[in-house]
Amino acid sequence: MTTITVLADDNNSQSTITLNPSHTIANIDPLIYGGFTEHMGRCIYGGLYEPDNNHGLVNSKGFRIDVIDCFKELNVPVVRYPGGNFVATYRWQDGIGPKDKRPSRPELAWNGIETNQFGTDEFMDWCKEVGTEPYLCLNMGTGTLEDALAWLEYCNGNKDTYYANQRRKNGHTEPYNVKYWALGNEMWGPWQVEQHTKEDYAKKAIQWAKALKLLDPSIQLVSCGQDGCSDWDRYVIQECHSWVDMHSIHFYSAGESHYRNISSPYAAERAIQVTSALIDLARCEIDYSPWPNTARIYTGPRGKRRPKICFDEWNIWDAERAPGDKGAEEQYTLSDALAMGTWLNIFIRNCKELGMATIAQSVNVISPLMTSSTGLFKQTTYWPLLLFSKFMRGQAIAVHVQCAAYKGETRPEWIQSTCTIPKLDVSAATDGEWVNLAVVNVDENSNFETELTVLGSQSEVEVFIVGGESHQLTDFNSQGKEVVKIQETVWRPEGSTKFTFQKHSFTLLRWKM
């Protein structure tokens, strides 16, 4: 794991990053670079799908070619669909078959109208174009277990049965073999249609899991969590851990000022740690033996299989700045790009606990990717995501960091009493051939000359920088004007092991082992 040693709160204090590439923590699951597409705002219509585009940007199926190219560039391994809050009233049956016979329905989550012109078959075709796996979320609001079983049969059935034959009738002979299924979305939330208590949800989730696994034992199920630190999470994990493969948690970071913004993701790191402890707590058996002295004896975990965490909604989002019912189209700054770098460092540092993570969302809605009818542009947050997805794979490496710490206001306020907010946030990974070191310098004003005690006799280091001295924290991108992007250089240490991380920058250093 990454360890931070806090030096004096002096920007001139000597910074040091120490690591040994052979000291690996755990495998990095590629699924942590997943995406999320919901029927919300312009994510689907005008994002993934725009059949009436007359600027040559769509293929014969109406899919945006430029969006597909970006998903391929990011190498997105899995995409969650169709929600999100949207799923609580979604009838999947409305989105299959001839398009002129598909009904339009009121959409209650985001106060819109769902035309159902893009549904299950379109999403599966789109996933095939991208080269990604689908992750479907079941409607546990207005939906029934019968609906859920029917959807699973439609997607994965290979026998002579009704819904499998419906899929064949709609032009899709082979099953889709959807592996990942979520048992509802944010069922604890008071904004949800058919909000549940934790007791009602857990009881229902177990019964659904039992039936779904009877129909297709190969699938992986994800239980519905809150933020990882709630009594809902404790109870649902306790009751459902034997029936599911992952437990989901959601968290959005944000802050009105730069330091409140970049400190917010540390609450997500704490949430991962707490959720992990709750999973272990649920798996531990206690023997209330009368001997000796009615002591509690720990007898080990229940079974070898341990559910992992599915962080299937995460991002930087200020809901007042970008309201959900108005499309949630955030304009991201360089400060947000640094927060993105910290988020991804957190995932690498805690990769042992994570089975999947899906950024919410992937196109237009609080997204690193924005489209118009004439093109698209990549927001500031796109670039750290690209660098991580491209290079931070394989195994995470343990890192020791000495640096100054931030001591001012944080969001949430309690996070500073729980963990250090370092001026240099760090993670490292190796694929067995290359070492990759990701460093966020969150300081508004100071560069940090840092001793790197790993390079040895390296003659050449690839350098990728987002932000830095030539930028302002308020810089943002727009169509035709991408101010913030990746700067690529090469560093030749030539005997020096000190590298200067520029103020308000994200830097990825990469060298051969």
Side-chain angles (χ1 to χ4, degrees), residues 28-36 71 74-79 132 314 344-345 347-348 355-359 362 384-394 427 429:
I28 300 167
D29 197 313
L31 296 183
I32 68 171
Y33 299 120
F36 175 32
F71 271 79
L74 290 171
N75 195 15
V76 178
V78 65
V79 178
T132 191
W314 70 273
L344 294 164
N345 275 340
F347 288 166
I348 299 300
M356 185 191 297
T358 58
I359 187 171
S362 294
L385 186 60
L386 175 62
L387 289 170
F388 269 85
S389 181
K390 192 173 182 179
F391 297 128
M392 299 293 281
R393 292 177 180 265
S427 73

Side-chain angles (χ1 to χ4, degrees), residues 77-148:
V78 65
V79 178
R80 185 176 180 231
Y81 175 84
N85 293 345
F86 168 82
V87 80
T89 59
Y90 180 58
R91 294 187 74 255
W92 72 267
Q93 299 93 331
D94 291 341
I96 60 172
K99 293 191 177 183
D100 60 353
K101 291 183 169 54
R102 298 185 189 182
S104 292
R105 303 279 190 189
E107 198 289 297
L108 302 184
W110 308 112
N111 193 29
I113 295 174
E114 177 51 51
T115 66
N116 286 299
Q117 294 301 290
F118 186 98
T120 301
D121 294 315
E122 287 78 21
F123 180 65
M124 296 301 169
D125 284 346
W126 180 86
C127 285
K128 187 176 180 180
E129 297 262 358
V130 170
T132 191
E133 285 200 66
Y135 165 33
L136 297 183
C137 185
L138 295 166
N139 176 0
M140 292 187 77
T142 62
T144 64
L145 176 54
E146 184 179 13
D147 292 329

